[in-house]
Amino acid sequence: MNELFDMPSYLEHSYLGLVALHVREALLPVLAGLIVALPLAQLCVRFRWLYPPVLWVTTVLYAIPSLAFFVILIDYTGLSELTVMIPLAVYSLVVLVPAIVDGVRSVPQETLAAATAMGFGPVRRYVQVQLPIAAPAILAGLRVACVSSISLVSVGMLIGNEGALGNLLDSGMRFNQPRLVWLSVVSTAVLAILVDALLIVLRVLATPWMPRGTRTASRTAAAKEGAL
């Protein structure tokens, strides 16, 4: 059993080290994308004319192949984790910005008026009223972004030893070791499922006010969005 998780020395990591590297390279970009997307989405909600060009820019950036992104960044960041993580952060915006905008726009005007009447300013109203109500939509977007990021990290194997679990796939195919190929594919899939499950639990904990049927409908919508 231990032989299954024995890593070639040139990978410079143990199996658990590769898993930790994969998690870091996948989730930190999504977190960075969320930090950028939150104020950007609020601007799009406040200034409706801004949303179409922002959506256009994020879509165009998402259309750039990751390999081309890597080639552009290598001159500035070298063969490092940043070369993998920066494109993933940019790609996450195409999912997170629309999810946050749609969620915030779904907040009833009566709720916003009541918050304003209570003396809430724009920032406080956004943080304490709009974002909590928009939490189901935001977390659905995070689920898609995280799963997509976990799968795309493996492309980092093309620039050296920064593909994490993807380097197992590359090594297995290059040296004809099916064990490494299967270990890479299964581990990446299991990691994506675990992260998605954790986000589902987080959504349930963050939205105790949602009826059970609403949670089920939200799960179905998230699954359809992920399939697209």
Side-chain angles (χ1 to χ4, degrees):
M1 185 66 177
N2 290 335
E3 294 180 358
L4 176 64
F5 299 101
D6 285 343
M7 298 294 102
S9 59
Y10 54 80
L11 290 181
E12 302 176 0
H13 290 283
S14 64
Y15 173 73
L16 292 179
L18 288 175
V19 172
L21 178 62
H22 204 102
V23 170
R24 182 168 69 246
E25 290 186 351
L27 300 189
L28 285 182
V30 176
L31 177 60
L34 180 63
I35 292 172
V36 173
L38 285 171
L40 186 59
Q42 177 61 6
L43 288 174
C44 292
V45 171
R46 189 165 186 178
F47 306 103
R48 289 182 174 267
W49 58 267
L50 187 61
Y51 186 44
V54 167
L55 195 59
W56 181 83
V57 170
T58 57
T59 303
V60 169
L61 291 174
Y62 187 81
I64 299 175
S66 54
L67 183 57
F69 233 137
F70 294 160
V71 171
I72 294 172
L73 290 173
I74 282 176
D75 289 339
Y76 304 97
T77 57
L79 300 177
S80 66
E81 292 181 29
L82 280 177
T83 305
V84 177
M85 294 165 70
I86 291 174
L88 296 182
V90 172
Y91 292 157
S92 70
L93 293 177
V94 77
V95 175
L96 295 176
V97 171
I100 298 172
V101 169
D102 291 343
V104 171
R105 283 181 175 174
S106 68
V107 178
Q109 288 299 318
E110 296 82 358
T111 303
L112 297 178
T116 302
M118 293 173 63
F120 282 38
V123 175
R124 187 181 176 191
R125 187 173 60 230
Y126 181 55
V127 173
Q128 296 187 10
V129 178
Q130 292 173 291
L131 288 183
I133 295 177
I138 296 172
L139 287 170
L142 275 174
R143 289 175 61 191
V144 176
C146 286
V147 171
S148 175
S149 187
I150 288 171
S151 66
L152 287 174
V153 164
S154 297
V155 183
M157 67 184 179
L158 300 174
I159 63 166
N161 222 13
E162 301 302 337
L165 292 171
N167 286 98
L168 290 178
L169 177 63
D170 180 56
S171 298
M173 296 177 64
R174 185 179 301 177
F175 300 108
N176 192 27
Q177 296 188 48
R179 171 182 69 89
L180 297 181
V181 173
W182 281 105
L183 190 58
S184 173
V185 173
V186 172
S187 298
T188 303
V190 170
L191 187 59
I193 292 171
L194 289 176
V195 171
D196 187 59
L198 287 174
L199 287 173
I200 291 175
V201 172
L202 177 61
R203 186 192 61 208
V204 172
L205 295 176
T207 57
W209 40 267
M210 286 183 63
R212 191 175 186 85
T214 306
R215 289 198 184 109
T216 304
S218 182
R219 279 198 297 268
T220 305
K224 290 180 179 179
E225 187 176 355
L228 294 175

